[in-house]
Amino acid sequence: MSITLTRYLIEQQRTQGALPAELRLLLETVARACQHIAISVNKGALGEVLGSADTENVQGEVQKKLDIIANEVLIDANEWGGHLAAMASEEMDTIHPIPHRYPQGEYLLLFDPLDGSSNIDVNVSIGTIFSVLKKPNDDPNVIEPVSEQDFLQPGAQQVAAGYCIYGPQTTLALTVGRGVVMFTLDREQGVWLLTQENVQIPADTKEFAINMSNMRHWDTPVKRYVDECLQGKEGVRGKDFNMRWIASMVADVHRILMRGGIFMYPWDKREPHKPGKLRLMYEANPMGWLVEQAGGAATNGRQRILDIAPTELHQRVSVVLGSKNEVERVTAYHLEADKTSV
Ligand code: AHG
Ligand code: MN
Ligand code: MN
């Protein structure tokens, strides 16, 4: 008997007590929005959704038409249900509070509406990443208007996180802090069906993912790690490594959840004042939590990603995540290098 996302969430709510009704509604709404985005992604040129929108987001990146479409779909779907206080997105400079004409909820939703934008026009897997926080409420008698400050919570405070990958299959990966589950979209029925429970990342791996074209800009510990992988059987690691780089974090993380591996987007010398390329709040935090929930690890090279206290909504971060023993190795290389440079 196939288990739909709706049934899975209701059972979590009823028997596990792990899921408040409002959060269930929120997750169903996000999944429905991803179904809509999947339709646009699949239509491609037929839906006139490919190409650039000729606008820039707050990070100075040129937006693709699908970046904007996906952002609008997520906002339209989540505005009126009464489960949210506000949303934040890679594609919006500031937070998007729920308009006063709708009831307000206690959750905050953050998303990267379309991850892997450079792959849209070349028909390679892309995705949507999301993270859910609770709006802090110090005094229950006073309902304060929602602010950007409310979003600035460490990733360890997330109450749900996930992604949808638009690939050969459309798959939703989800955690509410009780492991990672995956649902595959059945297009004929229009429902998400449970296809994987208790996802586990093996602690060891022979596969690494990093954009090698940036090698000359890396810091010594990253160079050391990758050099040792490249030496293969003859080197200190004593085994051959394979490399993958899809340039969609969603697709690289999905592969790691399915068969292990390590993913790195480290700080590099191209833009030394930025801690990294990826964004903490709606890329690294949700992916970091999913990976930890599947038995892996996620650091910025020195510190657990989920422990970082954010200071800005669009803050960037260096990312090392995946198979536990490899992430610990890269982290140890950074800490060793810090000690010797003091
Ligand atoms: P986005 O499309 O949301 O801006 O994210 C792209 C990110 C991430 O998905 C991927 O891992 C990375 O950028 C690829 O960067 P390079 O092109 O520098 O390899
Ligand atoms: Mn992204
Ligand atoms: Mn994006």
Side-chain angles (χ1 to χ4, degrees), residues 90 112 114-117 211 245 247-249 265 277 279 283:
E90 178 187 327
D112 174 354
L114 215 293
D115 174 67
S117 303
N211 186 336
W245 185 251
S248 294
M249 186 192 202
Y265 211 121
K277 175 179 179 180
R279 278 65 44 128
E283 290 178 320

Side-chain angles (χ1 to χ4, degrees), residues 66-80:
L66 261 179
D67 287 323
I68 293 173
I69 293 168
N71 194 57
E72 278 168 6
V73 168
L74 281 157
I75 289 174
D76 289 351
N78 281 287
E79 242 181 8
W80 45 269

Side-chain angles (χ1 to χ4, degrees), residues 43-339:
K43 282 203 170 133
L46 303 179
E48 295 180 8
V49 297
L50 302 186
S52 163
D54 296 323
T55 48
E56 272 191 9
N57 65 15
V58 66
Q59 2 232 342
E61 298 161 340
V62 175
Q63 293 173 305
K64 295 285 170 79
K65 284 185 195 162
L66 261 179
D67 287 323
I68 293 173
I69 293 168
N71 194 57
E72 278 168 6
V73 168
L74 281 157
I75 289 174
D76 289 351
N78 281 287
E79 242 181 8
W80 45 269
H83 49 279
L84 286 182
M87 292 177 250
S89 160
E90 178 187 327
E91 305 304 341
M92 298 189 291
D93 301 7
T94 54
I95 65 163
H96 179 92
I98 297 301
H100 290 304
R101 61 184 181 279
Y102 300 122
Q104 313 287 306
E106 56 178 343
Y107 291 102
L108 305 172
L109 174 64
L110 298 101
F111 42 84
D112 174 354
L114 215 293
D115 174 67
S117 303
S118 73
N119 283 323
I120 297 172
D121 295 350
V122 293
N123 203 355
V124 172
S125 297
I126 49 183
T128 296
I129 310 173
F130 62 93
S131 161
V132 185
L133 296 164
K134 252 184 150 176
K135 178 175 176 281
N137 200 358
D138 299 335
D139 182 351
N141 299 317
V142 188
I143 300 174
E144 298 278 349
V146 65
S147 69
E148 182 167 319
Q149 188 61 34
D150 294 332
F151 283 78
L152 303 182
Q153 307 177 39
Q157 300 290 335
Q158 292 171 104
V159 293
Y163 64 78
C164 176
I165 177 167
Y166 314 107
Q169 303 108 43
T170 299
T171 304
L172 185 76
L174 179 68
T175 187
V176 289
R178 304 169 63 88
V180 177
V181 281
M182 291 191 186
F183 299 84
T184 304
L185 181 61
D186 181 325
R187 282 173 193 281
E188 282 74 40
Q189 297 187 63
V191 290
W192 297 95
L193 297 176
L194 182 67
T195 42
Q196 201 122 10
E197 268 186 295
N198 191 23
V199 174
Q200 287 293 324
I201 301 174
D204 292 300
T205 182
K206 290 175 159 190
E207 204 158 58
F208 68 92
I210 191 164
N211 186 336
M212 291 285 288
S213 67
N214 298 323
M215 192 173 211
R216 68 190 185 286
H217 306 296
W218 295 339
D219 212 353
T220 326
V222 177
K223 242 184 220 156
R224 172 181 171 194
Y225 175 79
V226 174
D227 274 346
E228 289 177 358
C229 291
L230 296 178
Q231 286 161 19
K233 264 200 188 97
E234 293 75 31
V236 285
R237 301 300 308 274
K239 58 181 183 182
D240 290 334
F241 279 79
N242 189 19
M243 195 203 87
R244 287 284 184 278
W245 185 251
I246 301 174
S248 294
M249 186 192 202
V250 159
D252 281 311
V253 170
H254 187 68
R255 185 188 60 256
I256 288 171
L257 285 170
M258 299 306 288
R259 69 174 189 211
I262 179 167
F263 169 95
M264 286 169 284
Y265 211 121
W267 170 91
D268 69 47
K269 289 186 199 111
R270 283 173 302 169
E271 291 184 289
H273 55 285
K274 285 187 188 161
K277 175 179 179 180
L278 298 177
R279 278 65 44 128
L280 175 64
M281 304 287 298
Y282 39 80
E283 290 178 320
N285 275 342
M287 292 312 212
W289 196 30
L290 283 164
V291 164
E292 283 195 3
Q293 283 290 312
T299 76
N300 65 358
R302 295 176 168 87
Q303 181 190 6
R304 182 182 177 224
I305 291 213
L306 299 189
D307 287 338
I308 297 173
T311 53
E312 278 173 56
L313 192 59
H314 297 289
Q315 164 170 352
R316 294 177 190 249
V317 67
S318 185
V319 175
V320 181
L321 60 77
S323 290
K324 204 167 188 206
N325 292 340
E326 295 300 307
V327 174
E328 282 174 1
R329 178 181 285 267
V330 176
T331 309
Y333 287 3
H334 279 86
L335 298 177
E336 263 176 49
D338 290 350
K339 262 193 213 147

